[in-house]
Amino acid sequence: MSLEKTTPVSVLLVWLSNQRLDATVEKKAQSQLETALTESGYSFVREKRLSDSDIVDFYLTIDGCKVALELKAKAQRIRIYRQLERYAKHESVDAVVLLTATAMQLPALIEGKPAFVSSMGAGWL
């Protein structure tokens, strides 16, 4: 799956980068993001169960693309990556997006699925 600059996922990434979320408390940031997604008209499921052990924070369907969106205020990079790797293994996921206050990058693909990271601090700049 190829995602170019003008895809709905790239629009989501720009939108995420403009959100002002409280990065000090993850649950509060998740609640703020849920409100913002709802107000912006995004179609999503909160805490979508992908399997018995995998529950993604937000599961969005954007023009047929199923996106697993994980919000992490602070966590170990390797733990975040392993979690995204598990999500990407699911057939019900087409792309993974990480919204985080942790400074990190992702490879272009995780388990063959496009992977993106957006900084929670960007909206405050």
Side-chain angles (χ1 to χ4, degrees):
M1 170 184 238
S2 173
L3 295 174
E4 298 172 46
K5 286 186 178 184
T6 59
T7 68
V9 175
S10 64
V11 172
L12 172 67
L13 292 170
V14 170
W15 181 85
L16 286 170
S17 72
N18 289 314
Q19 300 310 300
R20 290 186 168 198
L21 306 175
D22 183 350
T24 60
V25 179
E26 188 168 296
K27 289 295 182 188
K28 184 174 182 180
Q30 290 172 343
S31 178
Q32 291 171 334
L33 181 58
E34 180 175 16
T35 299
L37 285 166
T38 300
E39 289 174 355
S40 293
Y42 279 99
S43 174
F44 68 95
V45 175
R46 180 78 173 90
E47 298 197 1
K48 166 82 170 164
R49 183 173 292 280
L50 301 174
S51 70
D52 289 342
S53 59
D54 293 330
I55 302 171
V56 66
D57 290 334
F58 300 90
Y59 183 81
L60 295 88
T61 303
I62 306 170
D63 288 352
C65 181
K66 295 167 263 169
V67 180
L69 170 58
E70 187 68 16
L71 187 153
K72 290 289 184 201
K74 294 177 185 155
Q76 292 179 341
R77 289 176 189 90
I78 191 65
R79 293 183 78 188
I80 293 171
Y81 180 81
R82 295 285 182 241
Q83 188 173 6
L84 296 175
E85 190 176 45
R86 287 195 323 270
Y87 295 165
K89 289 180 181 180
H90 292 279
E91 288 185 25
S92 61
V93 171
D94 296 323
V96 292
V97 173
L98 171 65
L99 177 60
T100 186
T102 299
M104 70 179 288
Q105 295 181 333
L106 294 175
L109 299 173
I110 298 177
E111 295 293 321
K113 311 262 176 89
F116 307 93
V117 65
S118 183
S119 170
M120 288 177 69
W124 295 100
L125 298 177

